[in-house]
Amino acid sequence: MRRFTEGFYGYAVALFVCFAAVGLFLLITPRSQGEHIPRLDYSITVANYARTVPYQVWAPVKDPEGWTPNSNRIAKGEGKAQVLHVGYATKARQHAMLIQSDEKPAAGFASRMANSDKPVGTQDVNGQQWERRFREDKNQRTLIRFLPDVTLVITGTADWPELGQLATALEQRPKPAAP
């Protein structure tokens, strides 16, 4: 019995027992076969943002089919402006983000969010013209809509039709009542 607990044979038996335990563990442990993209609810962030800005906020009424909201935040912009970010993984597993602010100048804000100041055309979304910008080295497409009180930016690696889907889902939310 002593020869299985010492020397090479002892080492080989211990190694075999360890591998058998790991193999059994891997065999009985459930594993997910698909990717997991965390879903983050943005409704509270949008409501909090709406309470801090002097204009009606734009947000999706319903998320596009197959899209997963996976990030949201309120950031500080230039000149004390608030900036709302709502990010998505699209159905094609690309990235798209809605960004909005009343930061002035609006053109500077839009250029910073698009990483480009050069329009490459327009895109019609529900009868409204959105400006297109494209930054090739980052594979970043951007739709921009300049409104009198807010600038809407939809940007990401998603293709133009997907960005248009997010723009189509947007509606102006009523301003929350003051407490």
Side-chain angles (χ1 to χ4, degrees):
M1 185 61 133
R2 189 160 193 234
R3 68 181 229 234
F4 287 112
T5 60
E6 294 178 357
F8 176 75
Y9 290 113
Y11 175 75
V13 169
L15 196 58
F16 175 75
V17 169
C18 288
F19 281 136
V22 168
L24 181 62
F25 176 77
L26 291 174
L27 185 64
I28 63 173
T29 304
R31 291 183 299 271
S32 173
Q33 299 300 321
E35 67 180 332
H36 173 69
I37 298 173
R39 175 177 284 280
L40 295 177
D41 182 15
Y42 55 84
S43 60
I44 292 181
T45 303
V46 169
N48 287 338
Y49 181 73
R51 281 191 267 289
T52 65
V53 295
Y55 56 87
Q56 287 182 269
V57 172
W58 291 78
V61 176
K62 182 180 175 198
D63 296 330
E65 184 71 31
W67 289 39
T68 305
N70 60 5
S71 68
N72 60 74
R73 67 186 172 102
I74 300 170
K76 297 279 186 203
E78 302 287 323
K80 298 183 182 177
Q82 299 287 321
V83 182
L84 175 67
H85 299 259
V86 178
Y88 287 91
T90 70
K91 189 173 186 175
R93 294 301 178 241
Q94 294 297 316
H95 176 70
M97 180 170 281
L98 163 66
I99 308 167
Q100 64 187 293
S101 181
D102 63 347
E103 184 180 308
K104 302 294 182 217
F109 168 74
S111 293
R112 211 170 61 252
M113 297 301 109
N115 289 306
S116 172
D117 61 354
K118 297 186 180 32
V120 295
T122 60
Q123 181 167 328
D124 182 79
V125 178
N126 291 342
Q128 302 296 323
Q129 293 300 307
W130 289 66
E131 182 179 289
R132 280 183 172 185
R133 296 190 188 177
F134 180 64
R135 176 141 177 203
E136 191 172 352
D137 64 326
K138 291 184 176 245
N139 190 31
Q140 181 181 2
R141 289 165 196 77
T142 304
L143 294 176
I144 301 168
R145 185 168 175 213
F146 295 100
L147 298 170
D149 55 352
V150 65
T151 303
L152 303 175
V153 177
I154 299 175
T155 190
T157 58
D159 61 21
W160 296 116
E162 282 188 311
L163 295 179
Q165 280 184 294
L166 183 52
T168 299
L170 297 180
E171 273 192 18
Q172 203 170 21
R173 300 281 179 96
K175 187 85 174 134

